[in-house]
């Protein structure tokens, strides 16, 4: 009975969210128009209209929209649960997230005060014209950014995660000394290899994988050609659920862009293009302090990257528009974070004068632009690139920089990484701990960026195929542990954190899928 009640609540929420959307009005219009058709009869009106919507492809569009809503839906909870429990059920996690947000906002406000740069200002008409003219070549601009510094870097965030403690948990009750080896000291349920094998069964050694079988010395007819044909059918069918299932074995290069936008239901309709143009107009009209942080971040990261420097202009366009997009605020319903607020016209403390800042509620940190950079290989139309990135962010990337107990959240990923290493490579873990080279201190920067900027692009896209296919970031923690396993022999020889970091400094030659497969399916359990 409870399950049925939960299902009816979910259905009601999905209907509520879809009502009033552009898709809803399109469906209504199509249903009205089809009434003029001769094969629609009054006595079987309902069935005929439904049949028309099915054959004309509208039913599939509705299915994809529902599928998308189910992925960003709040998890089912007790009807009496207060709203903050929906965002994050554990009080100590909520408290830690709130205090981290205060720190970040304070850092941003003090930067504004110290540098005498307002949080937002209207651009003069001449500046607006200049920006309009050079919109497609912002990378040629060399503003003086020396005074600006990133609000925080991943290592600052790691210190906060390391200090997390559950006040109700007595860690002395834990069995065995091994539970104290890692830096993350909170009790969360994370999956071990046997459970991961079950969950990621399509990655096993006997199933064909893109990222392995397309490079092996076997005839492409045996796997690749047939697999690509299946992929083409999935794209033609326009079915989000089928695309997601297909992506688990990897997406062929020529189909990846279509498959990803299908999984994310990112359709780039005329209204999406219009929304992007409105955001662009907002960038041209107003200058925000966070724009300087975005410029600085792109200059420090993507502009220095051999793969991504060519996309500098795209990155500015997408990230500047993203900072103005209030539609992003919707994801704070299921994000443990709360959008930061600042006071306009200096009215500090006057809640009526408090506004969300930046407008999308996301303060960029060092490395943020690397969430967008790999997508530039797939989409060369700014509005399409933008809508795919925004959907990737509100489904996955936000979890990598907010404190929560979610299974795909960064705290769980860190704990899972440490547990996998402790359980399956205890000697290596103990050795690195003894020389004060805690593995997480090295792997954290990979995980917080979902490996963007560390792997070669073709390998990174194969990894992100699986994130989308399994709708989970868990595979990021598995890969981080697999990298340590792969370099274990060299790591056993090192005597300091610096030399351990040197062994793991260059991941650009690694092949993602063989590492994950071997770690999950060829490790003795």
């Amino acid at each position: 009975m409870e399950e049925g009640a939960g299902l009816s609540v979910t259905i009601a929420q999905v209907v509520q969210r879809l009502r009033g959307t552009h898709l809803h009005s399109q469906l209504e219009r199509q249903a009205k128009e089809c009434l003029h058709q001769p094969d629609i009869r009054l006595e079987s009106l309902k069935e005929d209209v439904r049949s028309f919507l099915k054959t004309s492809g509208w039913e599939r569009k509705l299915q994809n929209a529902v599928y998308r809503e189910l992925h960003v839906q709040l998890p089912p909870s007790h009807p009496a649960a207060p709203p903050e429990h929906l965002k994050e059920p554990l009080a100590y996690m909520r408290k830690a997230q709130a205090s981290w947000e205060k720190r970040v906002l304070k850092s941003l406000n003090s930067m504004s005060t110290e540098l005498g740069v307002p949080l937002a200002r209207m651009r003069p008409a001449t500046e607006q014209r200049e920006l309009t003219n050079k919109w497609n070549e912002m990378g040629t601009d060399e503003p003086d950014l020396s005074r600006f510094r990133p609000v925080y870097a991943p290592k600052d965030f790691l210190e906060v995660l390391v200090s997390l403690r559950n006040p109700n948990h007595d860690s002395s009750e834990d069995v065995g000394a091994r539970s104290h080896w890692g830096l993350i000291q909170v009790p969360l349920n994370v999956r071990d290899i046997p459970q991961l094998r079950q969950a990621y069964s399509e990655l096993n050694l006997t199933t064909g994988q893109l990222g392995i079988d397309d490079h092996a010395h076997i005839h492409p007819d045996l796997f690749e050609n047939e697999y690509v044909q299946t992929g083409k059918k999935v794209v033609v069918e326009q079915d989000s659920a089928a695309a997601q299932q297909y992506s688990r074995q990897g997406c062929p290069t020529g189909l990846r862009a279509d498959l990803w936008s299908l999984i994310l239901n990112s359709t780039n309709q005329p209204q999406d293009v219009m929304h992007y143009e409105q955001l662009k107009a907002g960038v041209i009209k107003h200058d925000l302090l966070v724009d300087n942080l975005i410029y600085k971040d792109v200059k420090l990261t993507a502009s220095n990257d051999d793969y991504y420097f060519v996309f500098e202009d795209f990155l500015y366009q997408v990230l500047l528009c993203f900072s103005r997009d209030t539609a992003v605020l919707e994801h704070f319903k299921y994000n443990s974070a709360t959008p930061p607020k600042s006071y306009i016209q200096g009215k500090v403390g006057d809640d009526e004068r408090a506004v969300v800042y930046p407008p999308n509620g996301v303060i960029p940190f060092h490395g943020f632009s690397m969430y967008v950079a790999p997508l530039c290989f797939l989409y060369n139309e700014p509005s399409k690139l933008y809508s795919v990135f925004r959907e990737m962010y509100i489904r996955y990337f936000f979890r990598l920089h907010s404190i929560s107990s979610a299974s795909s959240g960064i705290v769980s990923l860190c704990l899972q990484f440490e547990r996998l290493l402790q359980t399956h490579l205890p000697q290596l873990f103990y050795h690195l701990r003894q020389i004060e080279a805690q593995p997480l201190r090295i792997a954290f920067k990979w995980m917080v960026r979902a490996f963007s900027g560390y792997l070669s692009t073709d390998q990174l896209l194969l990894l992100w195929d699986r994130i989308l296919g399994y709708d989970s970031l868990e595979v990021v923690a598995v890969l981080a542990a697999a990298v340590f396993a792969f370099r274990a022999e060299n790591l056993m020889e090192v005597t300091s954190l610096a030399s351990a970091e040197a062994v793991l400094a260059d991941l650009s030659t690694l092949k993602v899928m063989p590492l994950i497969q071997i770690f999950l399916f060829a490790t003795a359990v």
Side-chain angles (χ1 to χ4, degrees):
M1 181 60 206
E2 260 184 40
E3 195 177 310
L7 186 61
S8 58
V9 168
T10 302
I11 292 168
Q13 284 176 335
V14 170
V15 169
Q16 184 62 40
R17 285 172 65 90
L18 290 177
R19 187 169 281 141
T21 60
H22 189 70
L23 176 67
H24 182 225
S25 56
Q26 282 179 312
L27 282 167
E28 273 189 341
R29 196 180 313 123
Q30 289 295 325
K32 281 175 187 166
E33 282 176 11
C34 82
L35 296 177
H36 303 300
Q37 299 198 0
D39 51 348
I40 304 284
R41 295 187 310 280
L42 198 58
E43 57 272 20
S44 56
L45 184 66
K46 202 171 178 181
E47 286 73 25
D48 290 352
V49 170
R50 192 173 283 170
S51 164
F52 167 79
L53 290 174
K54 187 171 187 170
T55 52
S56 57
W58 285 99
E59 188 185 54
R60 180 53 52 81
K61 286 180 182 172
L62 179 60
Q63 279 175 358
N64 290 345
V66 170
Y67 195 66
R68 186 251 171 201
E69 290 303 326
L70 291 173
H71 278 84
V72 295
Q73 190 72 27
L74 288 168
S77 61
H78 192 278
E84 66 269 21
H85 281 228
L86 299 175
K87 287 162 70 68
E88 169 52 56
L90 300 178
Y92 74 95
M93 290 274 188
R94 290 200 299 274
K95 195 174 166 190
Q97 175 61 31
S99 100
W100 169 243
E101 283 165 19
K102 271 190 195 143
R103 242 177 88 179
V104 172
L105 189 57
K106 188 179 174 188
S107 170
L108 188 69
N109 284 329
S110 61
M111 192 190 304
S112 171
T113 310
E114 283 165 28
L115 303 180
V117 177
L119 290 176
R121 69 176 179 91
M122 194 163 180
R123 298 184 201 270
T126 51
E127 197 183 319
Q128 290 189 30
R129 276 195 302 276
E130 264 176 46
L131 185 54
T132 307
N133 293 334
K134 65 176 187 198
W135 179 256
N136 291 317
E137 44 199 50
M138 282 190 272
T140 57
D141 220 17
E142 288 292 336
D144 177 23
L145 300 168
S146 55
R147 301 181 306 155
F148 295 94
R149 60 185 188 279
V151 178
Y152 69 94
K155 64 176 188 297
D156 307 317
F157 187 43
L158 176 60
E159 293 315 316
V160 176
L161 303 190
V162 169
S163 64
L164 277 176
R165 294 290 181 278
N166 181 347
N168 305 320
H169 177 68
D170 180 3
S171 54
S172 63
E173 291 173 10
D174 287 355
V175 181
R178 218 186 288 172
S179 40
H180 296 296
W181 285 10
L183 292 173
I184 302 294
Q185 295 287 326
V186 289
L188 293 175
N189 269 334
V190 292
R191 295 198 266 205
D192 195 8
I193 285 184
Q195 293 160 307
L196 287 167
R197 282 180 183 172
Q198 220 170 344
Y200 293 84
S201 58
E202 292 89 349
L203 303 185
N204 69 43
L205 300 166
T206 56
T207 308
Q209 299 292 330
L210 281 189
I212 298 179
D213 296 290
D214 47 331
H215 296 300
H217 299 293
I218 56 171
H219 197 279
D221 283 348
L222 291 174
F223 168 66
E224 204 179 345
N225 291 355
E226 194 181 324
Y227 188 69
V228 171
Q229 289 313 313
T230 308
K232 285 178 180 169
K233 279 184 199 160
V234 170
V235 172
V236 169
E237 283 294 313
Q238 284 295 297
D239 184 334
S240 294
Q244 185 164 37
Q245 181 64 36
Y246 180 84
S247 182
R248 293 180 173 194
Q249 287 170 259
C251 296
T253 309
L255 300 175
R256 183 175 278 122
D258 289 337
L259 286 163
W260 282 20
S261 52
L262 184 51
I263 294 167
L264 298 165
N265 198 30
S266 199
T267 49
N268 206 34
Q269 298 289 317
Q271 68 271 17
D272 300 316
V273 178
M274 192 168 76
H275 179 63
Y276 175 77
E277 289 301 325
Q278 286 169 339
L279 295 172
K280 177 181 166 181
V283 174
I284 287 164
K285 196 172 181 185
H286 290 98
D287 179 29
L288 304 183
L289 169 64
V290 290
D291 295 353
N292 296 294
L293 300 179
I294 289 166
Y295 277 119
K296 179 99 176 186
D297 187 52
V298 173
K299 293 284 182 204
L300 288 175
T301 55
S303 299
N304 294 324
D305 190 288
D306 292 348
Y307 294 105
Y308 303 124
F309 71 95
V310 291
F311 300 123
E312 196 177 343
D313 298 326
F314 270 172
L315 295 176
Y316 292 135
Q317 290 170 16
V318 167
L319 288 165
L320 291 172
C321 287
F322 182 67
S323 66
R324 271 84 171 164
D325 194 348
T326 52
V328 177
L329 296 172
E330 185 76 7
H331 91 286
F332 285 103
K333 286 180 181 171
Y334 52 88
N335 180 351
S336 61
T338 303
K341 288 190 171 180
S342 279
Y343 297 93
I344 49 174
Q345 298 166 355
K347 308 276 184 182
V348 178
D350 179 357
D351 281 349
E352 284 185 16
R353 297 281 185 165
V355 293
V356 170
Y357 184 87
N360 69 344
V362 181
I363 296 173
F365 57 90
H366 179 56
F368 193 85
S369 56
M370 296 308 280
Y371 290 145
V372 188
L375 301 172
C376 297
F377 274 99
L378 303 183
Y379 306 99
N380 56 14
E381 194 183 328
S383 62
K384 180 78 171 168
L385 170 64
Y386 179 76
S387 61
V388 168
F389 163 65
R390 186 181 70 183
E391 195 66 24
M392 288 284 282
Y393 181 82
I394 64 172
R395 281 203 199 186
Y396 305 111
F397 298 147
F398 79 88
R399 296 200 181 280
L400 296 171
H401 61 96
S402 43
I403 302 168
S404 79
S405 58
S407 59
S408 265
I410 191 67
V411 185
S412 292
L413 296 183
C414 290
L415 184 62
Q416 188 167 35
F417 161 75
E418 290 193 327
R419 290 259 174 91
L420 287 170
L421 269 192
Q422 284 174 203
T423 309
H424 302 287
L425 294 157
Q427 282 176 301
L428 174 64
F429 201 110
Y430 186 72
H431 167 67
L432 292 173
R433 187 171 173 268
Q434 288 301 92
I435 60 165
E436 295 185 354
Q438 276 278 6
L440 186 59
R441 293 211 180 274
I442 300 167
F444 186 73
K445 57 183 181 290
W446 308 336
M447 292 197 285
V448 93
R449 280 197 200 172
F451 278 93
S452 179
Y454 295 103
L455 297 168
S456 63
T457 308
D458 61 321
Q459 295 300 309
L460 182 77
L461 295 174
L462 286 165
L463 174 69
W464 286 14
D465 282 343
R466 274 69 183 193
I467 291 174
L468 284 160
Y470 287 97
D471 193 36
S472 167
L473 287 157
E474 257 185 333
V475 71
V476 170
V478 173
L479 178 61
V483 170
F484 273 77
F486 181 62
R487 297 262 165 96
E489 214 171 302
N490 304 65
L491 288 169
M492 287 302 286
E493 307 294 319
V494 302
T495 53
S496 67
L497 175 60
S499 50
E501 281 178 329
V503 167
L504 296 162
D506 181 14
L507 308 185
S508 63
T509 56
L510 296 183
K511 297 278 183 263
V512 164
M513 291 320 298
L515 284 182
I516 291 174
Q517 257 197 346
I518 289 166
F519 189 78
L520 281 185
F521 293 95
T523 301
V525 177

